[in-house]
Amino acid sequence: MSPARRYGMVVDTRRCVGCSACVLACMSENDVPEGYCRDWIVHEIRGVFPNLRQEIRSERCMHCSNPPCVDVCPTGASLVGEGGVVLVEADRCTGCKACIAACPYDARYVHPSGHVDKCTFCLHRVKRGELPACVTVCPTRALTFGDLADPDAEVSQLLRTRKSKVLLPEAGTEPNVFFLE
Amino acid sequence: MTPEVLEVLSNRHNPQIDPRLDIWEWQIPAYLFVGGLVAGLMVLMAALELRRKAPAPARAAQWMPVVALVLISLGMLFLFLDLANKPHVYRFYTAFRPTSAMSWGSWILLLVYPALALLWLGGLDRDRRAWLVGLRLVRALRLPRLIAWLTKLADQHRRKIVWTTLMVGVGLGVYTGLLLGTMVARPVWNSAVMGPLFLTSGISTGAALMLLTPQDETDTHTLVRWDIVAILVELALLVVLLIGFSTGSAAARAVADGFLGGAYTATFWSLVVMVGLVTPLVLNLLEVRRKTPMTAFAPAFVLVGGLVLRILFVASGQATGIGG
């Protein structure tokens, strides 16, 4: 596998209906403890009444290219893994929660067993040539996963042809999850 | 004009994260307070000794390093209690991560122990050295030879040890601030001022603790004067911090609103500024200028202010995110 690979996700907010299938698929695939979630749905309504616009987003860890969680981790438990995916190595995690405080997206939580947990882009599935669980189950095909370093990948094509944004660009984290508007 | 609507609804429900961040409870502000206090004690004990022309065993040097050792151990206990994965605490010492203030801090904490122990042994007068070696526990553990060797080492390298104590103290004080200051996601914390602010506050609380305990008279006068300087610097740094918030991004301005009319205003201005800084400053100035007798009020107020400062910053930092 090429070390230059950069995994990313494109979320089409025009297709997402907020059904939460991605959330449930993730819980099931990753044994997420009850009462917790690695991905979630956000409804954002803005405008001046009666001209309101609703955007629905399936959100998760942004797998930033400049991840503050990795920088602040004192033990190296938070790390950048294969394809730029940001991971937590439970065995090295002390549960100090510095990474949680450092994440602008509040994408992490303390697992009941003590270590910090978060989305992994289902790297265990990706390594087998499969897609992340959330992408697989999305009924409206709002989620696209792929290698952003590959110009022919669907994610790259979508970002070239559609208007997109990242969340909180002012944080300087360079997210690898993009939202199509 | 009809106002613009912005409503954000999320189905995320992670404990300690939603509806607002609540990961650090009493343990972290308590540790930051105690850590700052010990940093202040280290800086002040070293500075007092460097200031003396002929180094005679000072009253503070007899037991203040031991107080500092007990306090830092208490602080490390607080940190341990905060860890969610306690059996993995040793992982702090299987890595050094230069980008992590917490990693720097965990290694600095290890340097605090030998620095304070050697500072104590080298500063003990002859009677107390004999008392220490004669202790039943020390003899039972067959420690007299080790203590004699360490005391000799401490005497030979006294000046180096004092300078090391000063530098480790500065490192400890600055890191307690930078621990929060390096978090870009939390506008209350994300300021380079946090390092010097927490160091200065630590020096002020360290001076307060020393003034609450018996000291040589000349040291008492010096500590009061230094405390005046520390309080003035701390006030100036708080002004700089508030100017930074008020003139920053929308998220930073929201923080400024919290301190200038919002939820944190009453606590900040009454307990941190008035009780913790302005009142002890006035009392210290009266003592120096008018020679009014020193009371425990000024030091006690400084300690209260220092603790509330840290409680307030840890709480308000978690309540506000860069995204609002």
Side-chain angles (χ1 to χ4, degrees):
Chain A
M1 196 165 281
S2 159
R5 202 168 275 231
R6 184 164 69 97
Y7 289 129
M9 188 176 281
V10 175
V11 181
D12 191 339
T13 62
R14 292 184 175 246
R15 282 176 175 263
C16 182
V17 292
C19 68
S20 290
C22 50
V23 181
L24 295 171
C26 172
M27 285 175 173
S28 165
E29 173 70 25
N30 296 298
D31 285 330
V32 177
E34 203 177 327
Y36 293 79
C37 57
R38 287 185 180 186
D39 57 353
W40 57 92
I41 302 293
V42 172
H43 293 247
E44 187 177 300
I45 302 152
R46 61 166 74 227
V48 178
F49 188 82
N51 299 314
L52 298 173
R53 183 176 173 277
Q54 176 174 246
E55 179 177 278
I56 306 175
R57 299 190 296 260
S58 167
E59 292 188 10
R60 60 199 37 67
C61 167
M62 302 289 161
H63 296 279
C64 307
S65 294
N66 184 19
C69 51
V70 173
D71 284 345
V72 301
C73 177
T75 66
S78 281
L79 51 91
V80 178
E82 193 179 307
V85 176
V86 177
L87 300 169
V88 179
E89 203 175 294
D91 187 45
R92 277 202 269 177
C93 179
T94 62
C96 73
K97 296 163 277 186
C99 57
I100 297 179
C103 175
Y105 309 99
D106 291 337
R108 295 169 163 245
Y109 58 86
V110 180
H111 191 280
S113 61
H115 62 86
V116 168
D117 200 28
K118 62 182 279 300
C119 161
T120 62
F121 267 166
C122 282
L123 200 58
H124 59 288
R125 289 174 59 93
V126 173
K127 280 180 181 171
R128 295 198 300 253
E130 298 169 22
L131 289 168
C134 54
V135 177
T136 311
V137 300
C138 180
T140 61
R141 297 185 60 204
L143 304 174
T144 310
F145 175 83
D147 180 8
L148 292 163
D150 175 4
D152 297 327
E154 196 182 345
V155 279
S156 306
Q157 289 177 16
L158 280 169
L159 292 178
R160 270 203 306 274
T161 54
R162 297 272 304 272
K163 193 181 169 200
S164 68
K165 67 176 180 183
V166 294
L167 298 184
L168 301 176
E170 65 271 29
T173 53
E174 298 172 31
N176 285 309
V177 174
F178 298 81
F179 296 89
L180 300 180
E181 294 181 297
Chain B
M1 194 182 126
T2 318
E4 190 181 15
V5 173
L6 173 59
E7 194 169 288
V8 181
L9 305 167
S10 168
N11 69 352
R12 192 180 61 196
H13 43 64
N14 287 330
Q16 293 183 294
I17 310 295
D18 303 298
R20 69 174 192 84
L21 203 65
D22 189 20
I23 48 168
W24 285 337
E25 297 168 20
W26 65 271
Q27 297 94 333
I28 297 300
Y31 163 70
L32 294 176
F33 174 67
V34 174
L37 192 60
V38 172
L41 289 175
M42 293 177 82
V43 169
L44 292 166
M45 282 188 290
L48 282 173
E49 176 142 347
L50 290 171
R51 192 174 170 275
R52 266 185 222 111
K53 295 284 188 301
R59 214 167 160 183
Q62 303 308 306
W63 46 272
M64 216 30 154
V66 180
V67 172
L69 280 170
V70 172
L71 285 173
I72 202 68
S73 305
L74 192 66
M76 286 181 80
L77 174 69
F78 293 155
L79 279 184
F80 176 72
L81 290 176
D82 173 69
L83 295 182
N85 213 8
K86 292 182 178 59
H88 286 201
V89 64
Y90 70 95
R91 287 294 189 179
F92 281 107
Y93 298 109
T94 57
F96 171 62
R97 308 270 309 158
T99 56
S100 162
M102 202 181 272
S103 184
W104 278 95
S106 46
W107 286 102
I108 288 173
L109 281 168
L110 279 198
L111 295 178
V112 169
Y113 283 88
L116 281 171
L118 289 172
L119 186 80
W120 181 53
L121 286 176
L124 282 178
D125 59 29
R126 195 174 293 174
D127 292 348
R128 283 192 177 79
R129 286 181 185 195
W131 162 81
L132 178 68
V133 178
L135 280 175
R136 192 177 291 174
L137 181 70
V138 170
R139 281 188 314 202
L141 294 171
R142 296 173 186 274
L143 291 176
R145 281 182 67 181
L146 177 67
I147 290 177
W149 178 74
L150 285 174
T151 310
K152 196 175 159 196
L153 190 78
D155 285 340
Q156 280 171 348
H157 302 283
R158 183 67 183 163
R159 214 169 159 77
K160 280 182 210 155
I161 289 165
V162 171
W163 274 105
T164 305
T165 306
L166 182 75
M167 286 187 290
V168 173
V170 169
L172 179 64
V174 169
Y175 126 78
T176 59
L178 288 187
L179 181 72
L180 304 180
T182 50
M183 305 277 184
V184 69
R186 315 290 154 200
V188 178
W189 298 340
N190 190 217
S191 165
V193 176
M194 293 298 274
L197 174 69
F198 274 42
L199 172 66
T200 318
S201 168
I203 290 174
S204 189
T205 52
L209 186 68
M210 290 180 83
L211 287 168
L212 284 173
T213 51
Q215 303 292 329
D216 294 328
E217 202 173 320
T218 48
D219 283 355
T220 303
H221 292 307
T222 310
L223 284 170
V224 172
R225 284 167 197 277
W226 285 355
D227 197 19
I228 291 172
V229 177
I231 291 173
L232 286 171
V233 172
E234 200 180 329
L235 277 168
L237 289 172
L238 282 173
V239 170
V240 171
L241 196 67
L242 286 178
I243 290 174
F245 291 153
S246 312
T247 55
S249 63
R253 284 203 304 277
V255 171
D257 291 344
F259 286 93
L260 302 168
Y264 306 105
T265 309
T267 316
F268 177 71
W269 290 99
S270 63
L271 290 177
V272 176
V273 176
M274 288 312 294
V275 172
L277 296 168
V278 174
T279 311
L281 177 68
V282 172
L283 291 173
N284 282 345
L285 282 171
L286 282 174
E287 195 189 321
V288 171
R289 291 281 176 89
R290 299 274 172 90
K291 308 285 179 209
T292 52
M294 206 200 90
T295 64
F297 284 111
F301 285 174
V302 165
L303 289 172
V304 169
L307 180 61
V308 175
L309 174 82
R310 284 155 182 87
I311 294 172
L312 198 63
F313 269 91
V314 171
S316 60
Q318 294 186 85
T320 47
I322 189 173

